[in-house]
């Protein structure tokens, strides 16, 4: 089932396609949309397998921003499992986590694009939000 993100999710300001970014801007390879999805993170910490339950804050074809009770080091390899579909995707921690009141915001990057992983239709590359929002 596909949901159009225009009603339930909105694009995040500054999240642009790479070809339209200007120097000095944060560059993204696809749009992110605000979407809460329950997921599990499977990772080896100090040689032992550990699973964390998490929820996404935003998602894209290339990864997600998730909330965890603890930080994970940058470049940590892990497997993200979509709780609804049980589909898994290999990924890594893309940048340093930010500590926030609800937990650590951990940015994840898929090893390769997975446009169907989240089961939503992302905006086309040339999409722009209406000016009156």
């Amino acid at each position: 089932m596909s949901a159009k993100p225009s009603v339930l999710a909105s694009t995040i300001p500054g999240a642009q396609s790479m070809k339209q970014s200007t120097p000095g801007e944060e560059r993204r390879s696809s749009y992110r949309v605000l979407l809460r999805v329950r997921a599990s993170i499977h990772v080896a910490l100090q040689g032992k397998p550990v699973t964390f339950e998490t929820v996404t804050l935003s998602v894209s074809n290339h990864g997600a921003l998730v909330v965890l009770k603890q930080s994970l080091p940058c470049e940590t390899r892990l497997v993200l499992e979509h709780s609804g579909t049980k589909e898994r995707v290999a990924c890594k921690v893309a940048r340093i986590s930010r500590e926030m009141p609800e937990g650590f915001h951990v940015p994840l990057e898929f090893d390769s694009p997975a446009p169907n992983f989240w089961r939503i239709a992302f905006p086309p590359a040339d999409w722009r939000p209406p000016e009156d929002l």
Side-chain angles (χ1 to χ4, degrees), residues 34-81:
L34 302 176
L35 183 67
R36 296 260 180 184
V37 176
R38 291 180 191 260
S40 299
I41 290 178
H42 305 282
V43 61
L45 296 178
Q46 299 176 350
K48 296 179 183 176
V50 179
T51 298
F52 297 107
E53 298 304 316
T54 189
V55 65
T56 64
L57 297 173
S58 64
V59 300
S60 77
N61 290 335
H62 296 269
L65 181 65
V66 300
V67 178
L68 289 175
K69 292 181 183 183
Q70 73 176 66
S71 180
L72 292 175
C74 194
E75 301 293 321
T76 299
R77 306 284 316 149
L78 55 97
V79 173
L80 182 66
E81 179 179 346

Side-chain angles (χ1 to χ4, degrees), residues 74-121:
C74 194
E75 301 293 321
T76 299
R77 306 284 316 149
L78 55 97
V79 173
L80 182 66
E81 179 179 346
H82 188 296
S83 294
T85 65
K86 302 303 180 199
E87 185 177 353
R88 293 179 174 208
V89 64
C91 53
K92 69 178 181 180
V93 176
R95 293 181 309 282
I96 296 171
S97 305
R98 288 188 181 176
E99 189 171 9
M100 303 298 277
E102 67 274 18
F104 289 89
H105 289 193
V106 181
L108 303 179
E109 179 182 347
F110 297 160
D111 287 354
S112 58
N116 296 317
F117 184 76
W118 301 112
R119 303 297 194 261
I120 64 169

